[in-house]
Amino acid sequence: MPTSLAYFTDLSLRRLEGAQIERGPAATVIRSPHNPTFWWGNFLLMPAPPQPGDLTRWEEAFVAAHPGTTHRTFGVDTPGGDEGAADEFRAAGYGVHEDTVLTTTRTVPPTRLNRDAERRPLGSAADWDAALALRLAVNAASPEPLDSEAYCEFARRKLASYRAMQAAGQGAVFGAFEADGTMLSGLGIFDAGQGVARYQSVETHPEARSRGLAGTLVHTAAEWARQTLGTRTLVIVADPGYHAQALYERVGFRPTETQLGIERRPAEDQAWSG
C-alpha cells in the first residue's frame, strides 16, 4: 500500500477502472490498456524520491514497463515535498509537479450555494454525452488546448471507465444541469476503500463560471458519499497555483500532504493526465 494518501487513492481508483498494478522490488508499475494515452494511468510509482544519478535507470525502467509509449510519468510515494534529485529530471526536460492533497471528514455548504442548476448523478446516455461535451468545451477554452480529436477519444474512454464504476456501485459522476440538459459543471467521487473517497475531474463550463457551481457540486457529492458509500475521509487534489484550492478550502478541506509527480509529455501532446 502506498505511503502517500494521494497515491493510495490514485491506485485504488485506477484498479477500479481496470488498470493492471504490478508491485515490484524497485517500483510499482501501473498499466491501463483500456486507455493507453492516459499518462497517469500508465506510469511508474517510485518508492522514494530519486537520488543523484538515477535518471537513466528510471528512464530505462519506464521503457521496459511501457514499451512503445512516448510519454514518461513517475509518481513519488512520499507524503511530503522531498524532491530528492528531481533537478536532474528538470534538466532533461521533465516537469516536476507538487500538488496539494486536501482532506476533510465533512464539507460545509459554500457561501455561494447555487440553487438554480439541477444537481444529480449522471444517469441516461444523454447525461454521459453531456459530460463529454463539457470536457471538450473545457479543453477548447484552455490557454493551451490539446488536439481535439485525440483528446475526445481519451475523454470517451475515461468517461466509459467512470460509467462502469458507477454502475458497479463504486461511486458516481455528478453533474449540474440546465433545464435543457446542458451540463454546466461536473465531477466524479469514488470509493478508494477504508472509508476514503477521492474526487476526480472537477470542471465547469467556461461560460458558466463564477456561479458557485463547482463548490456546490463538491458539497453535494460529499454528502452523497457520506450517506451512500459510508465515506469518513474525503480527498481532493489541487494545483496550488490555481484558484481551485481556495474553493475547496472554503467548503471545509484543509491541506494534508503534497503529491509529487514527474512527467515528460510526448512531443505532440497526445496523452493526458485526468
Side-chain angles (χ1 to χ4, degrees), residues 23-216:
R23 292 184 171 87
T28 299
V29 180
I30 297 86
R31 301 182 180 93
S32 295
H34 59 285
N35 203 349
T37 62
F38 178 18
W39 292 344
W40 288 100
N42 297 277
F43 71 103
L44 294 188
L45 181 61
M46 300 177 179
Q51 298 302 303
D54 272 358
L55 174 61
T56 299
R57 176 173 70 86
W58 280 114
E59 287 190 322
E60 290 175 348
F62 190 94
V63 172
H66 300 285
T69 58
T70 55
H71 73 280
R72 302 285 183 271
T73 41
F74 302 94
V76 182
D77 186 19
T78 173
D82 181 9
E83 293 187 356
D87 280 345
E88 293 185 6
F89 287 80
R90 286 191 179 93
Y94 284 82
V96 179
H97 307 289
E98 294 185 6
D99 290 327
T100 305
V101 182
L102 302 103
T103 62
T104 188
T105 57
R106 186 167 190 168
T107 58
V108 297
T111 302
R112 186 184 295 177
L113 184 68
N114 186 295
R115 301 183 184 277
D116 298 325
E118 180 187 9
R119 306 183 306 276
R120 56 177 172 78
L122 275 57
S124 67
D127 286 350
W128 291 95
D129 288 344
L132 177 60
L134 171 62
R135 300 204 79 173
L136 298 182
V138 170
N139 176 61
S142 170
E144 298 180 359
L146 300 162
D147 176 81
S148 58
E149 183 177 348
Y151 182 78
C152 182
E153 180 59 26
F154 160 79
R156 285 184 192 279
R157 290 173 181 254
K158 189 67 172 170
L159 288 169
S161 295
Y162 288 160
R163 190 173 185 176
M165 292 160 69
Q166 180 171 316
Q170 296 159 337
V173 175
F174 278 77
F177 291 89
E178 290 270 45
D180 65 0
T182 301
M183 188 165 160
L184 302 176
S185 187
L187 58 80
I189 189 164
F190 294 98
D191 185 6
Q194 300 184 27
V196 178
R198 170 76 181 267
Y199 285 85
Q200 297 279 273
S201 305
V202 181
E203 296 180 312
T204 299
H205 195 285
E207 296 180 3
R209 291 172 182 165
S210 301
R211 290 166 51 178
L213 289 162
T216 301

Side-chain angles (χ1 to χ4, degrees), residues 257-274:
E257 296 182 355
T258 297
Q259 182 175 29
L260 182 61
I262 302 172
E263 67 178 26
R264 189 174 69 201
R265 300 183 178 192
E268 297 180 357
D269 281 343
Q270 292 183 342
W272 298 276
S273 58

Side-chain angles (χ1 to χ4, degrees), residues 213-235:
L213 289 162
T216 301
L217 212 54
V218 167
H219 175 61
T220 299
E223 291 297 287
W224 178 88
R226 291 177 62 251
Q227 296 169 13
T228 306
L229 302 177
T231 298
R232 298 187 301 276
T233 302
L234 296 149
V235 180

Side-chain angles (χ1 to χ4, degrees), residues 12-24:
S12 295
L13 268 59
R14 298 296 83 77
R15 185 181 293 107
L16 293 179
E17 291 174 5
Q20 302 164 358
I21 299 175
E22 177 185 335
R23 292 184 171 87

